[in-house]
Amino acid sequence: MNEKSVENINRIKEIQRLKEEKNAVILAHYYQESEIQDVADFIGDSLELSRRAKETEADIILFAGVHFMAETAKILNPNKKVLIPDLNAGCSLSDATPPPLFKKFREEHPDHLAITYINCSAGVKALSDIICTSSNSVKIVSQIPKEQKILFSPDRNLGRFVMKQTGRDMLLWDGSCIVHETFSREKMLRLKGEFQGAKIIAHPECEVGILKEADFIGSTSALLNFVKTDPGTEYLIATEPGIIHQMEKQAPGKRYIPVPPEQECPCNKCPHMALNTMEKVYLSLLNEQPEILLDEEIIRKALIPIERMLEMS
Ligand code: 13P
Ligand code: SF4
């Protein structure tokens, strides 16, 4: 065994020890590196992780994901200490929606209901009527009376997908995910030609050209469930490739091919998620830092649209 693997094993043991000693739970998103997924107590999509954060009895929640996810955990369970391995792990959708601009958008459309994707800051959640995730957005929009006008923010691709599924017209904020907008339709179709019979499965944050070709569209958990239950054996994966680790674990013996980005770059990897490393997970548990701290008033206001989402989904 080389020095690096001994170091890794010791770190995993230390993380386990700290978790027990501090009564901490590790919640991780599927886009985290494989080792982080393997030390997590629960891995899920945004909706499932929110539910787990709300229900946990642990004293500390270490959220291995991006900032808006850890913030949501704090809003749902404010008496817990919520840690994130790297405080700079942001999200392009959240960054594209500063609360003052979102407030102005709302003021310009006072008769619209604001349904907002969970990929936004606590400040934007506090200004929204209902939060949704990629797994419940269609279900939530379908429950709104037909005559009610809707503002859907911040992901225009998810918004268009929901409009197509529900037949509803919505006013969309012009945001997108830097990862899901990079996939190349041309390269994907070339791969489809090479791997005859492979199914294309995509996250709804992808652009319409990708979604049009997809055999299945869903949240990260829905994509994972699809490959577990589908009789096929080869898949082209149009989402962040971190999820392939769970696909290989939970549906082994199949072939998972990541859809490549347009440019010759690793741009299908989320750079924000990648800021979290095993070393930072360990240090964060050890030092109980960096911690997510939120203003009480923001927590109170942001909780309302999140609770509405949980009731409606
Ligand atoms: P899911 O809720 O589908 O896991 O999506 C989270 C996300 O950030 C996708 O880019
Ligand atoms: Fe945000 Fe895109 Fe990264 Fe998801 S993959 S966290 S939407 S930047």
Side-chain angles (χ1 to χ4, degrees):
M1 204 179 284
N2 64 29
E3 243 175 71
K4 198 103 195 115
S5 31
V6 173
E7 196 186 311
N8 280 348
I9 291 170
N10 289 342
R11 195 178 283 134
I12 293 166
K13 281 191 185 148
E14 267 304 283
I15 290 173
Q16 304 291 12
R17 186 186 66 75
L18 287 168
K19 265 197 325 191
E20 271 174 46
E21 184 188 298
K22 297 181 181 231
N23 188 24
V25 68
I26 300 182
L27 304 182
H29 189 264
Y30 295 115
Y31 298 164
Q32 290 292 279
E33 63 178 61
S34 308
E35 290 83 356
I36 297 182
Q37 294 188 34
D38 291 345
V39 291
D41 298 286
F42 182 77
I43 315 159
D45 68 8
S46 308
L47 180 64
E48 293 165 338
L49 289 167
S50 302
R51 287 204 169 111
R52 286 290 168 138
K54 182 181 157 132
E55 287 158 11
T56 188
E57 300 280 320
D59 295 316
I60 295 178
I61 300 171
L62 183 127
F63 209 113
V66 290
H67 197 267
F68 77 81
M69 296 178 173
E71 267 189 350
T72 307
K74 183 71 183 173
I75 295 163
L76 281 163
N77 214 336
N79 296 326
K80 307 292 179 189
K81 186 177 259 191
V82 178
L83 307 173
I84 182 164
D86 192 316
L87 209 48
N88 293 318
C91 168
S92 64
L93 283 166
S94 184
D95 293 348
T97 328
L101 280 189
F102 183 72
K103 188 166 180 279
K104 194 163 165 273
F105 185 52
R106 285 225 63 178
E107 284 163 0
E108 284 164 2
H109 307 283
D111 54 346
H112 284 60
L113 186 83
I115 302 186
T116 310
Y117 189 31
I118 199 163
N119 295 36
C120 65
S121 64
V124 167
K125 287 185 176 76
L127 292 165
S128 300
D129 295 310
I130 309 171
I131 297 303
C132 69
T133 73
S134 59
S135 64
N136 60 20
S137 49
V138 170
K139 192 171 181 184
I140 286 178
V141 170
S142 306
Q143 292 173 58
I144 307 301
K146 291 260 179 305
E147 59 285 2
Q148 174 62 59
K149 293 179 188 160
I150 299 172
L151 294 181
F152 189 91
S153 313
D155 187 22
R156 60 166 187 264
N157 290 318
L158 177 65
R160 284 188 195 128
F161 170 73
V162 173
M163 278 165 59
K164 190 161 177 275
Q165 296 296 306
T166 58
R168 295 290 297 259
D169 196 23
M170 303 191 295
L171 201 52
L172 305 180
W173 183 274
D174 194 20
S176 61
C177 160
I178 46 164
V179 176
H180 289 85
E181 70 182 358
T182 62
F183 296 121
S184 160
R185 183 168 181 273
E186 210 184 310
K187 291 183 190 171
M188 182 179 80
L189 294 179
R190 219 178 298 143
L191 279 169
K192 174 102 178 153
E194 254 174 69
F195 296 92
Q196 299 276 330
K199 288 179 183 156
I200 296 173
I201 61 170
H203 194 277
E205 285 175 17
C206 291
E207 299 209 317
V208 69
I210 298 284
L211 296 182
K212 258 190 193 156
E213 304 296 336
D215 296 285
F216 180 75
I217 301 168
S219 76
T220 50
S221 287
L223 296 178
L224 178 60
N225 280 333
F226 181 80
V227 301
K228 281 163 70 178
T229 50
D230 182 67
T233 53
E234 290 184 333
Y235 303 91
L236 295 175
I237 313 293
T239 193
E240 217 272 4
I243 194 165
I244 293 177
H245 179 58
Q246 283 310 311
M247 290 177 169
E248 284 171 342
K249 274 178 101 169
Q250 297 187 35
K254 298 192 178 196
R255 185 167 193 161
Y256 304 107
I257 307 141
V259 171
E262 205 72 66
Q263 311 293 325
E264 291 304 318
C265 60
C267 336
N268 59 345
K269 290 285 302 167
C270 176
H272 304 290
M273 292 276 181
L275 286 176
N276 295 333
T277 60
M278 278 292 273
E279 188 181 4
K280 288 180 195 169
V281 168
Y282 163 68
L283 289 174
S284 163
L285 270 182
L286 181 73
N287 302 321
E288 300 186 20
Q289 288 289 339
E291 184 181 356
I292 300 286
L293 297 169
L294 286 172
D295 181 80
E296 271 182 35
E297 182 69 356
I298 290 278
I299 292 186
R300 192 183 61 74
K301 287 187 177 159
L303 183 62
I304 299 166
I306 300 176
E307 290 284 17
R308 271 189 202 129
M309 165 186 82
L310 295 176
E311 279 159 26
M312 293 171 83
S313 47

PDB file of all heavy atoms in Angstrom, residues 174-197:
ATOM      1  N   ASP A 174     -33.398  35.062 -16.773  1.00  0.00           N
ATOM      2  CA  ASP A 174     -32.459  34.574 -17.779  1.00  0.00           C
ATOM      3  C   ASP A 174     -31.176  34.001 -17.157  1.00  0.00           C
ATOM      4  O   ASP A 174     -30.082  34.490 -17.409  1.00  0.00           O
ATOM      5  CB  ASP A 174     -32.137  35.722 -18.748  1.00  0.00           C
ATOM      6  CG  ASP A 174     -31.442  35.215 -19.988  1.00  0.00           C
ATOM      7  OD1 ASP A 174     -31.539  34.006 -20.282  1.00  0.00           O
ATOM      8  OD2 ASP A 174     -30.776  36.030 -20.655  1.00  0.00           O
ATOM      9  N   GLY A 175     -31.299  32.956 -16.356  1.00  0.00           N
ATOM     10  CA  GLY A 175     -30.108  32.340 -15.757  1.00  0.00           C
ATOM     11  C   GLY A 175     -29.880  30.951 -16.327  1.00  0.00           C
ATOM     12  O   GLY A 175     -30.786  30.348 -16.914  1.00  0.00           O
ATOM     13  N   SER A 176     -28.661  30.445 -16.173  1.00  0.00           N
ATOM     14  CA  SER A 176     -28.384  29.072 -16.617  1.00  0.00           C
ATOM     15  C   SER A 176     -27.221  28.511 -15.811  1.00  0.00           C
ATOM     16  O   SER A 176     -26.490  29.251 -15.146  1.00  0.00           O
ATOM     17  CB  SER A 176     -28.055  29.048 -18.108  1.00  0.00           C
ATOM     18  OG  SER A 176     -26.908  29.826 -18.340  1.00  0.00           O
ATOM     19  N   CYS A 177     -27.074  27.196 -15.896  1.00  0.00           N
ATOM     20  CA  CYS A 177     -25.990  26.526 -15.179  1.00  0.00           C
ATOM     21  C   CYS A 177     -24.785  26.414 -16.094  1.00  0.00           C
ATOM     22  O   CYS A 177     -24.907  25.899 -17.212  1.00  0.00           O
ATOM     23  CB  CYS A 177     -26.474  25.148 -14.728  1.00  0.00           C
ATOM     24  SG  CYS A 177     -25.106  24.041 -14.361  1.00  0.00           S
ATOM     25  N   ILE A 178     -23.623  26.854 -15.607  1.00  0.00           N
ATOM     26  CA  ILE A 178     -22.412  26.838 -16.442  1.00  0.00           C
ATOM     27  C   ILE A 178     -22.000  25.419 -16.841  1.00  0.00           C
ATOM     28  O   ILE A 178     -21.266  25.236 -17.787  1.00  0.00           O
ATOM     29  CB  ILE A 178     -21.200  27.518 -15.748  1.00  0.00           C
ATOM     30  CG1 ILE A 178     -21.068  27.038 -14.298  1.00  0.00           C
ATOM     31  CG2 ILE A 178     -21.294  29.026 -15.821  1.00  0.00           C
ATOM     32  CD1 ILE A 178     -19.714  27.341 -13.680  1.00  0.00           C
ATOM     33  N   VAL A 179     -22.464  24.425 -16.093  1.00  0.00           N
ATOM     34  CA  VAL A 179     -22.112  23.037 -16.412  1.00  0.00           C
ATOM     35  C   VAL A 179     -23.078  22.483 -17.452  1.00  0.00           C
ATOM     36  O   VAL A 179     -22.666  21.992 -18.503  1.00  0.00           O
ATOM     37  CB  VAL A 179     -22.150  22.161 -15.126  1.00  0.00           C
ATOM     38  CG1 VAL A 179     -21.884  20.707 -15.457  1.00  0.00           C
ATOM     39  CG2 VAL A 179     -21.168  22.691 -14.091  1.00  0.00           C
ATOM     40  N   HIS A 180     -24.366  22.597 -17.178  1.00  0.00           N
ATOM     41  CA  HIS A 180     -25.366  21.973 -18.054  1.00  0.00           C
ATOM     42  C   HIS A 180     -25.531  22.666 -19.398  1.00  0.00           C
ATOM     43  O   HIS A 180     -26.101  22.097 -20.322  1.00  0.00           O
ATOM     44  CB  HIS A 180     -26.707  21.856 -17.313  1.00  0.00           C
ATOM     45  CG  HIS A 180     -26.665  20.821 -16.238  1.00  0.00           C
ATOM     46  ND1 HIS A 180     -26.189  21.101 -14.971  1.00  0.00           N
ATOM     47  CD2 HIS A 180     -26.983  19.506 -16.248  1.00  0.00           C
ATOM     48  CE1 HIS A 180     -26.240  19.993 -14.242  1.00  0.00           C
ATOM     49  NE2 HIS A 180     -26.718  19.016 -14.993  1.00  0.00           N
ATOM     50  N   GLU A 181     -25.034  23.904 -19.512  1.00  0.00           N
ATOM     51  CA  GLU A 181     -25.151  24.576 -20.811  1.00  0.00           C
ATOM     52  C   GLU A 181     -23.945  24.263 -21.709  1.00  0.00           C
ATOM     53  O   GLU A 181     -23.902  24.706 -22.851  1.00  0.00           O
ATOM     54  CB  GLU A 181     -25.334  26.090 -20.638  1.00  0.00           C
ATOM     55  CG  GLU A 181     -24.116  26.795 -20.133  1.00  0.00           C
ATOM     56  CD  GLU A 181     -24.307  28.288 -19.928  1.00  0.00           C
ATOM     57  OE1 GLU A 181     -25.395  28.812 -20.209  1.00  0.00           O
ATOM     58  OE2 GLU A 181     -23.339  28.923 -19.482  1.00  0.00           O
ATOM     59  N   THR A 182     -22.965  23.512 -21.195  1.00  0.00           N
ATOM     60  CA  THR A 182     -21.760  23.278 -22.007  1.00  0.00           C
ATOM     61  C   THR A 182     -21.834  22.016 -22.868  1.00  0.00           C
ATOM     62  O   THR A 182     -20.998  21.813 -23.735  1.00  0.00           O
ATOM     63  CB  THR A 182     -20.494  23.114 -21.132  1.00  0.00           C
ATOM     64  OG1 THR A 182     -20.689  21.976 -20.311  1.00  0.00           O
ATOM     65  CG2 THR A 182     -20.196  24.321 -20.308  1.00  0.00           C
ATOM     66  N   PHE A 183     -22.828  21.147 -22.614  1.00  0.00           N
ATOM     67  CA  PHE A 183     -22.842  19.874 -23.338  1.00  0.00           C
ATOM     68  C   PHE A 183     -23.010  20.084 -24.845  1.00  0.00           C
ATOM     69  O   PHE A 183     -23.796  20.918 -25.284  1.00  0.00           O
ATOM     70  CB  PHE A 183     -23.956  18.963 -22.806  1.00  0.00           C
ATOM     71  CG  PHE A 183     -23.734  18.568 -21.377  1.00  0.00           C
ATOM     72  CD1 PHE A 183     -24.660  18.869 -20.386  1.00  0.00           C
ATOM     73  CD2 PHE A 183     -22.576  17.895 -21.000  1.00  0.00           C
ATOM     74  CE1 PHE A 183     -24.444  18.524 -19.065  1.00  0.00           C
ATOM     75  CE2 PHE A 183     -22.347  17.540 -19.680  1.00  0.00           C
ATOM     76  CZ  PHE A 183     -23.279  17.856 -18.722  1.00  0.00           C
ATOM     77  N   SER A 184     -22.269  19.298 -25.599  1.00  0.00           N
ATOM     78  CA  SER A 184     -22.311  19.422 -27.057  1.00  0.00           C
ATOM     79  C   SER A 184     -23.311  18.427 -27.651  1.00  0.00           C
ATOM     80  O   SER A 184     -23.145  17.212 -27.518  1.00  0.00           O
ATOM     81  CB  SER A 184     -20.912  19.167 -27.625  1.00  0.00           C
ATOM     82  OG  SER A 184     -20.995  18.840 -28.981  1.00  0.00           O
ATOM     83  N   ARG A 185     -24.314  18.973 -28.347  1.00  0.00           N
ATOM     84  CA  ARG A 185     -25.327  18.128 -28.979  1.00  0.00           C
ATOM     85  C   ARG A 185     -24.684  17.278 -30.080  1.00  0.00           C
ATOM     86  O   ARG A 185     -24.951  16.085 -30.208  1.00  0.00           O
ATOM     87  CB  ARG A 185     -26.416  19.033 -29.556  1.00  0.00           C
ATOM     88  CG  ARG A 185     -27.570  18.295 -30.179  1.00  0.00           C
ATOM     89  CD  ARG A 185     -28.726  19.243 -30.458  1.00  0.00           C
ATOM     90  NE  ARG A 185     -29.835  18.517 -31.025  1.00  0.00           N
ATOM     91  CZ  ARG A 185     -29.985  18.272 -32.319  1.00  0.00           C
ATOM     92  NH1 ARG A 185     -29.075  18.719 -33.179  1.00  0.00           N
ATOM     93  NH2 ARG A 185     -31.018  17.584 -32.767  1.00  0.00           N
ATOM     94  N   GLU A 186     -23.780  17.938 -30.821  1.00  0.00           N
ATOM     95  CA  GLU A 186     -23.136  17.250 -31.944  1.00  0.00           C
ATOM     96  C   GLU A 186     -22.316  16.049 -31.454  1.00  0.00           C
ATOM     97  O   GLU A 186     -22.440  14.940 -31.971  1.00  0.00           O
ATOM     98  CB  GLU A 186     -22.223  18.266 -32.621  1.00  0.00           C
ATOM     99  CG  GLU A 186     -22.051  18.045 -34.084  1.00  0.00           C
ATOM    100  CD  GLU A 186     -21.046  19.045 -34.628  1.00  0.00           C
ATOM    101  OE1 GLU A 186     -21.199  20.257 -34.348  1.00  0.00           O
ATOM    102  OE2 GLU A 186     -20.095  18.598 -35.298  1.00  0.00           O
ATOM    103  N   LYS A 187     -21.492  16.281 -30.418  1.00  0.00           N
ATOM    104  CA  LYS A 187     -20.660  15.181 -29.888  1.00  0.00           C
ATOM    105  C   LYS A 187     -21.542  14.098 -29.287  1.00  0.00           C
ATOM    106  O   LYS A 187     -21.246  12.912 -29.381  1.00  0.00           O
ATOM    107  CB  LYS A 187     -19.680  15.718 -28.840  1.00  0.00           C
ATOM    108  CG  LYS A 187     -18.590  16.595 -29.410  1.00  0.00           C
ATOM    109  CD  LYS A 187     -17.625  17.026 -28.319  1.00  0.00           C
ATOM    110  CE  LYS A 187     -16.664  18.089 -28.815  1.00  0.00           C
ATOM    111  NZ  LYS A 187     -15.869  18.684 -27.739  1.00  0.00           N
ATOM    112  N   MET A 188     -22.638  14.530 -28.668  1.00  0.00           N
ATOM    113  CA  MET A 188     -23.549  13.558 -28.045  1.00  0.00           C
ATOM    114  C   MET A 188     -24.164  12.653 -29.127  1.00  0.00           C
ATOM    115  O   MET A 188     -24.211  11.435 -28.962  1.00  0.00           O
ATOM    116  CB  MET A 188     -24.646  14.311 -27.285  1.00  0.00           C
ATOM    117  CG  MET A 188     -25.630  13.417 -26.566  1.00  0.00           C
ATOM    118  SD  MET A 188     -26.864  14.370 -25.664  1.00  0.00           S
ATOM    119  CE  MET A 188     -27.981  14.789 -26.990  1.00  0.00           C
ATOM    120  N   LEU A 189     -24.586  13.267 -30.241  1.00  0.00           N
ATOM    121  CA  LEU A 189     -25.217  12.471 -31.301  1.00  0.00           C
ATOM    122  C   LEU A 189     -24.205  11.551 -31.988  1.00  0.00           C
ATOM    123  O   LEU A 189     -24.528  10.439 -32.390  1.00  0.00           O
ATOM    124  CB  LEU A 189     -25.919  13.391 -32.312  1.00  0.00           C
ATOM    125  CG  LEU A 189     -27.124  14.157 -31.737  1.00  0.00           C
ATOM    126  CD1 LEU A 189     -27.751  15.069 -32.774  1.00  0.00           C
ATOM    127  CD2 LEU A 189     -28.182  13.196 -31.173  1.00  0.00           C
ATOM    128  N   ARG A 190     -22.937  12.037 -32.051  1.00  0.00           N
ATOM    129  CA  ARG A 190     -21.878  11.188 -32.619  1.00  0.00           C
ATOM    130  C   ARG A 190     -21.702   9.942 -31.733  1.00  0.00           C
ATOM    131  O   ARG A 190     -21.602   8.822 -32.206  1.00  0.00           O
ATOM    132  CB  ARG A 190     -20.574  11.978 -32.701  1.00  0.00           C
ATOM    133  CG  ARG A 190     -19.812  11.658 -33.988  1.00  0.00           C
ATOM    134  CD  ARG A 190     -18.546  12.473 -34.108  1.00  0.00           C
ATOM    135  NE  ARG A 190     -18.762  13.903 -34.183  1.00  0.00           N
ATOM    136  CZ  ARG A 190     -17.973  14.828 -33.617  1.00  0.00           C
ATOM    137  NH1 ARG A 190     -16.932  14.470 -32.916  1.00  0.00           N
ATOM    138  NH2 ARG A 190     -18.238  16.108 -33.752  1.00  0.00           N
ATOM    139  N   LEU A 191     -21.701  10.156 -30.407  1.00  0.00           N
ATOM    140  CA  LEU A 191     -21.561   9.027 -29.467  1.00  0.00           C
ATOM    141  C   LEU A 191     -22.758   8.079 -29.571  1.00  0.00           C
ATOM    142  O   LEU A 191     -22.608   6.868 -29.493  1.00  0.00           O
ATOM    143  CB  LEU A 191     -21.460   9.548 -28.026  1.00  0.00           C
ATOM    144  CG  LEU A 191     -20.084  10.055 -27.585  1.00  0.00           C
ATOM    145  CD1 LEU A 191     -20.187  10.790 -26.260  1.00  0.00           C
ATOM    146  CD2 LEU A 191     -19.097   8.889 -27.455  1.00  0.00           C
ATOM    147  N   LYS A 192     -23.923   8.674 -29.769  1.00  0.00           N
ATOM    148  CA  LYS A 192     -25.151   7.872 -29.898  1.00  0.00           C
ATOM    149  C   LYS A 192     -25.029   6.959 -31.127  1.00  0.00           C
ATOM    150  O   LYS A 192     -25.458   5.806 -31.109  1.00  0.00           O
ATOM    151  CB  LYS A 192     -26.352   8.819 -30.012  1.00  0.00           C
ATOM    152  CG  LYS A 192     -27.665   8.169 -30.289  1.00  0.00           C
ATOM    153  CD  LYS A 192     -28.524   8.046 -29.061  1.00  0.00           C
ATOM    154  CE  LYS A 192     -29.852   7.425 -29.431  1.00  0.00           C
ATOM    155  NZ  LYS A 192     -30.495   6.724 -28.376  1.00  0.00           N
ATOM    156  N   GLY A 193     -24.400   7.483 -32.188  1.00  0.00           N
ATOM    157  CA  GLY A 193     -24.169   6.691 -33.386  1.00  0.00           C
ATOM    158  C   GLY A 193     -23.184   5.554 -33.119  1.00  0.00           C
ATOM    159  O   GLY A 193     -23.340   4.454 -33.636  1.00  0.00           O
ATOM    160  N   GLU A 194     -22.180   5.864 -32.280  1.00  0.00           N
ATOM    161  CA  GLU A 194     -21.159   4.852 -31.953  1.00  0.00           C
ATOM    162  C   GLU A 194     -21.712   3.760 -31.049  1.00  0.00           C
ATOM    163  O   GLU A 194     -21.441   2.588 -31.221  1.00  0.00           O
ATOM    164  CB  GLU A 194     -20.031   5.538 -31.180  1.00  0.00           C
ATOM    165  CG  GLU A 194     -18.765   5.763 -31.937  1.00  0.00           C
ATOM    166  CD  GLU A 194     -17.807   6.570 -31.081  1.00  0.00           C
ATOM    167  OE1 GLU A 194     -17.310   6.059 -30.072  1.00  0.00           O
ATOM    168  OE2 GLU A 194     -17.586   7.763 -31.423  1.00  0.00           O
ATOM    169  N   PHE A 195     -22.470   4.193 -30.051  1.00  0.00           N
ATOM    170  CA  PHE A 195     -23.043   3.231 -29.096  1.00  0.00           C
ATOM    171  C   PHE A 195     -24.520   3.037 -29.427  1.00  0.00           C
ATOM    172  O   PHE A 195     -25.401   3.590 -28.764  1.00  0.00           O
ATOM    173  CB  PHE A 195     -22.877   3.726 -27.646  1.00  0.00           C
ATOM    174  CG  PHE A 195     -21.455   3.845 -27.224  1.00  0.00           C
ATOM    175  CD1 PHE A 195     -20.762   5.036 -27.373  1.00  0.00           C
ATOM    176  CD2 PHE A 195     -20.779   2.753 -26.691  1.00  0.00           C
ATOM    177  CE1 PHE A 195     -19.430   5.154 -26.996  1.00  0.00           C
ATOM    178  CE2 PHE A 195     -19.453   2.852 -26.318  1.00  0.00           C
ATOM    179  CZ  PHE A 195     -18.774   4.056 -26.474  1.00  0.00           C
ATOM    180  N   GLN A 196     -24.776   2.274 -30.471  1.00  0.00           N
ATOM    181  CA  GLN A 196     -26.156   2.041 -30.921  1.00  0.00           C
ATOM    182  C   GLN A 196     -26.952   1.441 -29.764  1.00  0.00           C
ATOM    183  O   GLN A 196     -26.483   0.517 -29.116  1.00  0.00           O
ATOM    184  CB  GLN A 196     -26.151   1.045 -32.091  1.00  0.00           C
ATOM    185  CG  GLN A 196     -25.383   1.516 -33.312  1.00  0.00           C
ATOM    186  CD  GLN A 196     -26.217   2.416 -34.209  1.00  0.00           C
ATOM    187  OE1 GLN A 196     -27.419   2.279 -34.264  1.00  0.00           O
ATOM    188  NE2 GLN A 196     -25.557   3.331 -34.906  1.00  0.00           N
ATOM    189  N   GLY A 197     -28.096   1.995 -29.493  1.00  0.00           N
ATOM    190  CA  GLY A 197     -28.940   1.453 -28.423  1.00  0.00           C
ATOM    191  C   GLY A 197     -28.730   2.152 -27.087  1.00  0.00           C
ATOM    192  O   GLY A 197     -29.514   1.963 -26.160  1.00  0.00           O
TER     193      GLY A 197
END
